[in-house]
Each structure stands twice: as structure tokens, then as C-alpha cells.
Amino acid sequence: MAHRLEGRRIVLGVSGGIAAYKAVDLCRRLVDAGAFVSPVLTEAATRFVGALTFSALASERARTSLYSDPDPIPHTTLGRAADLIVVAPATARVIGAMAHGISDDLLTATLLATAAPVVVCPAMHTEMWEHEATQDNIALLRSRGVIVVDPTSGRLAGGDSGSGRMAEPADIVAAIEAFTGPKDLEGVRVLVTAGGTREPIDAVRVITNRSSGKQGTELALEAASRGAKVTLVTTARQPVHPGIDVVRVETAFEMQGAVLPRAPGAEVVIMAAAVADQRVARPSARKTKKTSAPTSIELVPTHDFLVDLGRSKSPSQVLVGFAAETDDVEANARAKLASKGLDLIVANDVGAPGSGFDHDTNQVLILGADGSRREVALASKREIAAAVLDSVTACRDQIARGGPHPDGKETSTDS
Ligand code: CTP
């Protein structure tokens, strides 16, 4: 357990509250767990604990300012390099700044300049914690995927007692470890697709679907955090971790053109994208005027390139498809698993509450060609990604053992 954070680059953000003294212990524990810890203290934090204390315990010296650093842009350097940022203690001010994109010191600027996962450990007086403004800000952060380690009840500064006390350092480390997956994809080449394709009607209009690309992006992030070399082919605009090779595409045809040449070089291919089944036969290169707009549009089928991937894959490659369904979820997913030659299919009931398109949460059924079946209850898309990758590694282990390949073929490990 102590080595689950081995080699992870963690920025430890410390803001100005009495719980800053507990962040010293947290810093030591993270270093002991194998992480490379870069402390960033707000000006107020330094009034509670000296930067020197953190410098002595962390993996590198503590930083306290945007302007006194030898690096002219320390916030982007830190934000880009981080595998994770943990803010402990997080005061009401820092939580508010994060929620509203305010970046008036090194810590808040780093938080705005990162695509890494963020863990927030609030600490403040009960009245401040329970205030609607704080609760709204926390809800906003959660909706963006920030992990909040809830404060507990107990003694507060000034002899008061109540909720708002920062979680204990050991519990924060446990939360980080639970969230940070194992490094079981070290060096493995993983190709992920994400988002709904956009098929042009004319120069300004498109036919698309409601896929946001969040699930595919979370899969890419989770794979990267497990040590994989990830390529993400995506239609989504959201920023991703700089360690991930991103190929931005729009149409099904462009996605096919990006995926097919790259797939043979990948040991794992995950097709999370919602690829259009039809495209417009003759899109106009110019904007169609209202007066001459057609009343019907001719559609032609796109090519289902997941079928190509299933046919041409090597026995050692793990191929994962997604099935977005509203009816007969399991039966439809099973049919796609077999007809597309997949090792795994992730079935998604997009009609279920809190699940599928446009949500930050999802619930899925993971079916394997070997007959395995795993239901994953409603959870964040990051947690769903972790469950999918657990199934992928189980499949890889089975192939490596030379056991019966999930699709019944003889296996080899000739990657
Ligand atoms: N897929 C693909 N190319 C297409 C259509 C789909 O590679 N032209 C892939 C998707 O990325 C997904 C899987 O096939 O991994 C299943 O997609 P889905 O839309 O659920 O099913 P379809 O095969 O398109 O069938 P239907 O729309 O009838 O459910």
C-alpha cells in the first residue's frame, strides 16, 4: 500500500488555516508513500507554518510566490508536471477562488493551469463551512470532478468545536491512494477514443449526438495515471494532461483515419467515442441560406471501423467497445461484443438517471468475451474508468498466462 504513490508528482497546496500544521504531517506521509511532493504555500499559510518546514520534508523546496521564483512561469510548470494536486487545508477563500476561476496567487494560478486531478480538503469554522456560498462552491467543484475529502467534526481553532475540521492526514493519504489507481499499465500503449463525432451539413451546421467525451477523457487520464502511454483521439475540446498524446478530430471519417493506423501499435484499444452511424451524403462547403434550405437531407452510412479493429487485431491486443443503449441493454451489448470481435464491451444505459451523456456520473455493465460480467453502480466517470481498466488488466493477465483467450482463440504474448 505504501508504494501506491511511487513516482507520482503531487503538488501539495497549503492555504492559511490552523490546520496548516497538519499539512506538515501530510507532506511527510506523501513522501513516505513514494510521491514526489512539491509544496505550494499561500501567503497566509506561511503565517501558520514556515516554508522552511515544508522544504525540509518535501521532495523539493516549498514555493510561496508567483514572482520570487527562478522559473518565470512556476504555475504552469507545476500545473503541467503534476499527476495530482492536493489542497490541504483548503480555506473558504481558496475553495471560492477555485470555483470561480480566480488566480491571484501561485496556488490558485497553479490550480487553474492544471488538467491533473485535484483533491480538496476543506478546513474552516463551522459557520463558514455550512454557509450556502461555501456549499455551493463545493458542489460546483464536485461537479467538475474535484475530489472533496469532507471535513470532520471536532475541535477547531479558538477552542470551538463543530464540523469543518480538516480530515486527518492518514485519511487524506488513504483517499488519495484509493483514488490513484495501481501502476499496472506501466509502459503499455493505450489508444482511447472519446466524444461524439460531428458530421457537417454545410459550412456552419452539423449533425452530432449528446456524447460529451467525458468518459473517454477519464479513461485516458486513468490509464495515464497507471503508467500507460496514452493516445486520445477525441472530438471534445476539454484540456487533458500534457502527458497524453491528443489527436483532435471532428467527423467519423477523421476519427477512423486517426485510429486505424495507430491501432496496430497499441496493446489496448478503447473505443469510447459515440461515432455517427450516418453522415450527410453531400455536405455543402458554403452556408445554406434560409431561403434555399432543403427540407430533407440525404444520409449515407459511415463505416463501422470497430469491426475492422476486431478483425485485424493481434491475439495479444485487448479491444474494448462501448454500447450506448436505452432498451435491452445487456442483450444488445452482448450482440455487439460478438459481432464486432471485442474482448470487452462497456454497456451504458443512457436513459438511466445520472447515467450516460452529459452527466459527471455513469453506471455500466462490463461484459467479457470469456463470459465475465461486472455491474458497476452509479459512480463518477473516473471511478467507472478505473473499473473498465481493472477489467482490461484482468484480460491482459489472462492473455499473458496463455490461458484461454476470452474469444476462445489460442493466445500468445507477441506484442
Ligand atoms: N463504432 C464505430 N464506428 C461506427 C459506429 C460505432 O467504431 N461507425 C463503435 C463505437 O465507438 C462503439 C461501438 O462501435 O465502441 C458501438 O457503438 P454504438 O453506437 O453503441 O452501436 P452501433 O454499432 O452503432 O449500433 P446501434 O447504433 O444500432 O446501436
Side-chain angles (χ1 to χ4, degrees), residues 98-100 135-146:
M98 285 175 75
H100 300 285
Q135 289 302 312
D136 284 354
N137 287 337
I138 286 285
L140 192 55
L141 294 182
R142 279 194 215 271
S143 77
R144 291 184 195 147
V146 170

Coordinates of all heavy atoms in Angstrom, one line a residue, residues 98-100 135-146:
M98 N -11.2 28.7 -6.5 CA -11.2 27.6 -7.4 C -12.5 27.5 -8.2 O -12.5 27.3 -9.4 CB -11.0 26.3 -6.7 CG -9.6 26.0 -6.2 SD -9.6 24.5 -5.2 CE -9.7 23.2 -6.4
A99 N -13.6 27.7 -7.4 CA -14.9 27.6 -8.1 C -15.1 28.6 -9.1 O -15.8 28.4 -10.1 CB -16.0 27.7 -7.0
H100 N -14.5 29.8 -8.9 CA -14.8 30.9 -9.8 C -13.6 31.3 -10.7 O -13.7 32.4 -11.3 CB -15.3 32.1 -9.0 CG -16.6 31.7 -8.3 ND1 -17.8 31.6 -8.9 CD2 -16.8 31.3 -7.0 CE1 -18.7 31.1 -8.1 NE2 -18.1 30.9 -6.9
Q135 N -21.0 25.9 0.4 CA -21.6 24.6 0.0 C -21.9 24.7 -1.5 O -21.7 23.7 -2.2 CB -22.9 24.4 0.8 CG -22.6 24.0 2.2 CD -21.7 22.8 2.4 OE1 -22.0 21.7 1.7 NE2 -20.7 22.8 3.2
D136 N -22.3 25.8 -2.0 CA -22.5 25.9 -3.5 C -21.1 25.8 -4.2 O -21.1 25.1 -5.3 CB -23.1 27.3 -3.9 CG -24.6 27.4 -3.5 OD1 -25.1 26.3 -3.1 OD2 -25.1 28.5 -3.6
N137 N -20.1 26.4 -3.7 CA -18.8 26.3 -4.3 C -18.3 24.8 -4.3 O -17.7 24.3 -5.3 CB -17.8 27.2 -3.6 CG -18.0 28.7 -3.9 OD1 -18.6 29.0 -4.9 ND2 -17.5 29.5 -3.0
I138 N -18.5 24.2 -3.2 CA -18.1 22.8 -3.1 C -18.8 21.9 -4.1 O -18.3 21.0 -4.8 CB -18.3 22.2 -1.6 CG1 -17.2 22.8 -0.7 CG2 -18.3 20.7 -1.6 CD1 -15.8 22.2 -0.8
A139 N -20.2 22.2 -4.2 CA -21.0 21.4 -5.2 C -20.5 21.6 -6.6 O -20.4 20.7 -7.4 CB -22.4 21.8 -5.0
L140 N -20.1 22.9 -6.9 CA -19.6 23.2 -8.2 C -18.3 22.4 -8.5 O -18.1 21.9 -9.6 CB -19.4 24.7 -8.3 CG -19.1 25.4 -9.6 CD1 -20.2 25.0 -10.6 CD2 -19.0 26.9 -9.5
L141 N -17.4 22.4 -7.5 CA -16.1 21.8 -7.7 C -16.3 20.2 -7.9 O -15.7 19.6 -8.7 CB -15.2 22.0 -6.5 CG -14.7 23.4 -6.3 CD1 -13.8 23.5 -5.1 CD2 -14.0 23.9 -7.5
R142 N -17.2 19.7 -7.0 CA -17.5 18.2 -7.2 C -18.0 17.9 -8.6 O -17.7 16.9 -9.2 CB -18.6 17.8 -6.2 CG -18.1 17.5 -4.8 CD -19.2 16.8 -4.0 NE -19.2 17.2 -2.6 CZ -18.5 16.6 -1.6 NH1 -17.7 15.6 -1.9 NH2 -18.7 17.0 -0.4
S143 N -18.9 18.8 -9.1 CA -19.5 18.6 -10.4 C -18.4 18.6 -11.5 O -18.6 18.1 -12.6 CB -20.6 19.6 -10.7 OG -20.0 20.8 -11.1
R144 N -17.3 19.3 -11.2 CA -16.2 19.3 -12.2 C -15.2 18.2 -12.0 O -14.2 18.1 -12.6 CB -15.4 20.6 -12.1 CG -16.2 21.8 -12.5 CD -15.3 23.1 -12.4 NE -16.1 24.3 -12.5 CZ -15.8 25.4 -11.8 NH1 -14.7 25.4 -11.1 NH2 -16.5 26.4 -12.0
G145 N -15.5 17.3 -11.1 CA -14.7 16.1 -10.9 C -13.6 16.3 -9.8 O -12.8 15.4 -9.6
V146 N -13.6 17.4 -9.1 CA -12.7 17.6 -8.0 C -13.1 16.6 -6.8 O -14.3 16.5 -6.6 CB -12.8 19.1 -7.4 CG1 -12.0 19.2 -6.1 CG2 -12.2 20.0 -8.5

